[in-house]
Amino acid sequence: MLPALTRQAASFRGNTLWLSPNTDTEAWNRMPLRALLATSRTVDGTRRHFVMDARQGDRQQAGGFLVIPAAYELDDLTYGILWAVAGFDSAILGDDTALHDLLAPPPQPPSEDNGTLPARESLADGSQMLVGSQMCASFILEQRDALADDPVFWTREQRGEEAATWLIFQHKHRYLQEMAPRRAHSGVGRAFCVPRSEITASPTYERVLLFLALALMESYGVTTWLTDEPDLQQTDGFVLVPGHRAAIATWVRAEPSPQTALAAAAPMLRTFTDLTGHAQAHSITAGSTPGQRLAATADYLGLDRPWLTRRCRQLAAEGTTGLARPRSRHLSLDALDIACSYVAAELQPEAGGHPEETR
């Protein structure tokens, strides 16, 4: 839950809402907790709402007026970003001391011997996701030299909450950068299993976050493959160099704790090779270019392509920091901004569509 100060917009000029100076706004700019400044405007007979991080207010002054970019219109894209950042920020900041103790050394697999398991179980869900994700990322990076021959990945994220970790966890962005292929789309790929039942159960804002996570992968030269076969959704996350070795690293829906292991046995390697080969050959988002794959992904997730292209273009131009600036040192919006920019450049609206700018 986020407190919000609602103000009436004085005018709407140049895709920017202008709010008159107010002492309440100045006080909210200095609030120590996350809060929003909100306003609304009737455009073409429709009441539309716009929000901004309250602390951004002191940076968005123009001639004494507070300005809110039209790019920060509250819709499924911006709501999803706020929902993810605020949720993880709250959890991680609330567990700051415990996380410092857990993450100061490289995260180790929990065990009854070292006492890590009880400490981890006492964390909020978002903090547990951070610890599990960082442990798995560290484990795979330790095997990087052995996985240097264009590996392929099996990734368990299905919902927006899980996928948002790629967009806002600093360590996941660093991991993605370090594991990026030397040559874009050289055979390195990530397979996802997202059954249609998960699409049906996910609200639009979560599906947008999942889409942006896949776009982020593509931006680093990693081809994405989606399969919708429910029987494969419990497959462990892994990184595979076919015929050589695999590193298993599972934290998404891994109870009671993340799982990491190395595998070199021929039967297991054949199984992993068959899984990734099947996902690649039968991907429901297949395409010869990143733009084609992104378009197919948006369609499968039931997202409006012209709207998504337009809104990502607007956010890419404005940046997302003013909307949902993280407070935790473990979070960053750099990857999210990259994903929005990539979608704006690569995703084409439906044939014949000429989306208008937000006014």
Side-chain angles (χ1 to χ4, degrees):
M1 297 180 64
L2 298 179
L5 174 64
T6 303
R7 293 280 313 285
Q8 182 66 36
S11 62
F12 196 2
R13 306 193 306 270
N15 279 333
T16 303
L17 292 99
W18 297 68
L19 284 66
S20 301
N22 184 282
T23 55
D24 289 341
T25 303
E26 295 174 0
W28 278 59
N29 291 344
R30 298 188 295 271
M31 288 183 69
L33 72 161
R34 179 177 294 281
L36 298 176
L37 298 177
T39 189
S40 60
R41 186 78 176 176
T42 299
V43 182
D44 298 330
T46 301
R47 197 71 170 171
R48 292 158 63 175
H49 302 272
F50 303 82
V51 297
M52 183 173 69
D53 190 299
R55 286 195 187 178
Q56 196 69 12
D58 59 352
R59 297 171 173 80
Q60 297 287 86
Q61 300 286 342
F65 284 83
L66 177 69
V67 295
I68 298 181
Y72 296 166
E73 180 175 3
L74 189 61
D75 59 8
D76 284 310
L77 174 58
T78 50
Y79 179 84
I81 293 170
L82 283 167
W83 173 78
V85 173
F88 280 111
D89 229 3
S90 178
I92 291 170
L93 287 174
D95 290 326
D96 185 68
T97 300
L99 286 172
H100 176 76
D101 295 338
L102 279 171
L103 299 178
Q108 298 297 319
S111 70
E112 295 292 348
D113 297 332
N114 61 24
T116 301
L117 182 58
R120 183 177 178 275
E121 286 185 336
S122 69
L123 299 175
D125 289 347
S127 300
Q128 291 199 39
M129 293 171 74
L130 177 73
V131 173
S133 172
Q134 187 159 330
M135 189 191 83
C136 289
S138 297
F139 177 75
I140 292 174
L141 288 173
E142 289 172 359
Q143 320 304 321
R144 180 173 46 185
D145 291 343
L147 299 170
D149 298 330
D150 291 342
V152 290
F153 301 76
W154 188 276
T155 310
R156 284 171 62 92
E157 285 85 341
Q158 295 179 328
R159 302 291 292 267
E161 183 180 27
E162 301 161 349
T165 60
W166 289 100
L167 302 170
I168 63 176
F169 281 7
Q170 279 195 344
H171 76 268
K172 286 189 81 72
H173 190 204
R174 290 193 298 267
Y175 161 76
L176 187 61
Q177 291 171 316
E178 293 188 42
M179 294 297 293
R182 292 184 293 271
R183 293 173 292 107
H185 304 288
S186 58
V188 176
R190 279 189 176 270
F192 292 76
C193 179
V194 186
R196 294 185 183 276
S197 59
E198 292 296 329
I199 303 301
T200 302
S202 296
T204 303
Y205 62 86
E206 281 207 72
R207 286 180 271 132
V208 170
L209 293 171
L210 178 59
F211 172 84
L212 288 175
L214 270 71
L216 180 67
M217 313 289 182
E218 292 277 357
S219 77
Y220 279 101
V222 178
T223 301
T224 56
W225 311 306
L226 260 69
T227 176
D228 61 352
E229 298 186 26
D231 291 346
L232 302 181
Q233 63 184 322
Q234 297 304 323
T235 302
D236 283 330
F238 62 80
V239 188
L240 169 72
V241 177
H244 180 49
R245 71 185 310 183
I248 301 169
T250 300
W251 67 271
V252 177
R253 303 187 308 280
E255 299 298 338
S257 62
Q259 305 296 319
T260 58
L262 292 176
M268 183 169 288
L269 294 182
R270 282 196 298 270
T271 298
F272 288 164
T273 300
D274 290 345
L275 285 168
T276 54
H278 179 84
Q280 182 175 6
H282 301 281
S283 175
I284 55 179
T285 57
S288 59
T289 67
Q292 291 175 352
R293 291 189 291 273
L294 289 178
T297 301
D299 292 345
Y300 176 65
L301 296 178
L303 301 175
D304 184 321
R305 250 194 281 164
W307 166 80
L308 192 56
T309 306
R310 171 175 57 83
R311 294 294 284 125
C312 283
R313 183 170 63 246
Q314 291 172 331
L315 278 184
E318 194 63 46
T320 56
T321 300
L323 173 70
R325 183 158 57 109
R327 274 48 169 178
S328 170
R329 63 185 181 275
H330 297 291
L331 305 183
S332 168
L333 299 182
D334 291 346
L336 176 63
D337 285 336
I338 290 171
C340 288
S341 296
Y342 192 74
V343 171
E346 296 290 336
L347 182 64
Q348 297 300 315
E350 295 173 352
H354 299 285
E356 299 179 356
E357 294 295 329
T358 296
R359 292 303 304 261

